[in-house]
């Protein structure tokens, strides 16, 4: 574990996750009229945000948010010593919100939030980036 000094004690990084999404593949998934992928993986607030990005490709925003959710799952799996596939994740419980003053943030809801609280909680840091062909995100969990 990597320890970070802070006022009043020691902060410890308990999980790090990174994910990269192929934007073309993601575009194909979202374009499939028979798919309910968007509704199963994104909250209504995320859908509204992504679709409202005038002058920007909404798929880039969806891909970045999906990468952040996957990065959180990986960081959380490392923190809880569980394989990500064993977590039975509801992707809508991991919500990417945009804070006007600080950029993206993760809000955890439902069962995932309860599990995080039961484990002592964690401060969540997220960074998202995207270009024409890829989107990526990194999540750091700190206790």
């Amino acid at each position: 574990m990597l320890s970070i000094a802070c006022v009043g004690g020691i902060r410890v990084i308990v999980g790090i996750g990174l994910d990269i999404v192929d934007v073309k593949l993601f575009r194909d998934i979202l374009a499939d009229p028979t798919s309910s992928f968007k509704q199963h993986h994104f909250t209504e607030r995320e859908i509204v945000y992504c679709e409202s990005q005038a002058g920007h490709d909404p798929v880039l925003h969806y891909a970045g948010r999906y990468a952040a959710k996957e990065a959180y799952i990986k960081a959380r799996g490392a923190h809880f010593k569980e394989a990500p596939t064993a977590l039975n994740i509801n992707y809508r419980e991991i919500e990417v919100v945009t804070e006007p003053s600080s950029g993206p943030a993760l809000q955890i809801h439902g069962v995932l939030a309860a599990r995080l609280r039961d484990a002592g909680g964690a401060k969540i840091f997220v960074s998202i980036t995207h270009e024409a062909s890829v989107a990526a995100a990194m999540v750091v969990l700190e206790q």
Side-chain angles (χ1 to χ4, degrees), residues 53-65:
Q53 296 309 296
H56 294 100
D57 182 357
V59 175
L60 294 176
H61 295 278
Y62 282 116
R65 278 162 169 65

Side-chain angles (χ1 to χ4, degrees), residues 3-119:
S3 295
I4 303 171
C6 72
V7 176
I10 300 291
R11 301 291 298 191
V12 178
I13 293 176
V14 294
I16 298 174
L18 173 68
D19 195 67
I20 300 171
V21 172
D22 178 319
V23 171
K24 182 187 180 317
L25 176 63
F26 210 76
R27 184 179 309 285
D28 293 344
I29 291 169
L30 292 178
D32 180 354
T34 65
S35 172
S36 58
F37 184 88
K38 190 187 300 183
Q39 290 71 28
H40 283 119
H41 288 81
F42 299 98
T43 65
E44 186 61 35
R45 186 165 46 169
E46 289 172 312
I47 293 169
V48 167
Y49 175 83
C50 292
E51 296 295 333
S52 71
Q53 296 309 296
H56 294 100
D57 182 357
V59 175
L60 294 176
H61 295 278
Y62 282 116
R65 278 162 169 65
Y66 185 77
K69 293 170 187 243
E70 286 286 323
Y72 173 77
I73 292 166
K74 291 171 182 174
R76 186 183 178 283
H79 175 48
F80 290 92
K81 308 290 187 270
E82 299 170 307
T85 55
L87 298 176
N88 195 18
I89 301 297
N90 174 351
Y91 282 78
R92 293 172 52 87
E93 290 184 353
I94 307 165
E95 184 175 25
V96 180
V97 297
T98 301
E99 302 291 340
S101 61
S102 61
L106 291 183
Q107 289 183 357
I108 310 302
H109 307 285
V111 173
L112 290 179
R115 286 183 183 167
L116 190 59
R117 276 190 306 275
D118 290 347

Side-chain angles (χ1 to χ4, degrees), residues 4 11-17 68 71-72 75 104-106 122-128 137-143:
I4 303 171
R11 301 291 298 191
V12 178
I13 293 176
V14 294
I16 298 174
Y72 173 77
L106 291 183
K123 184 169 173 112
I124 304 170
F125 299 90
V126 62
S127 180
I128 301 172
M138 180 172 184
V139 170
V140 175
L141 301 180
E142 180 185 87
Q143 257 184 345

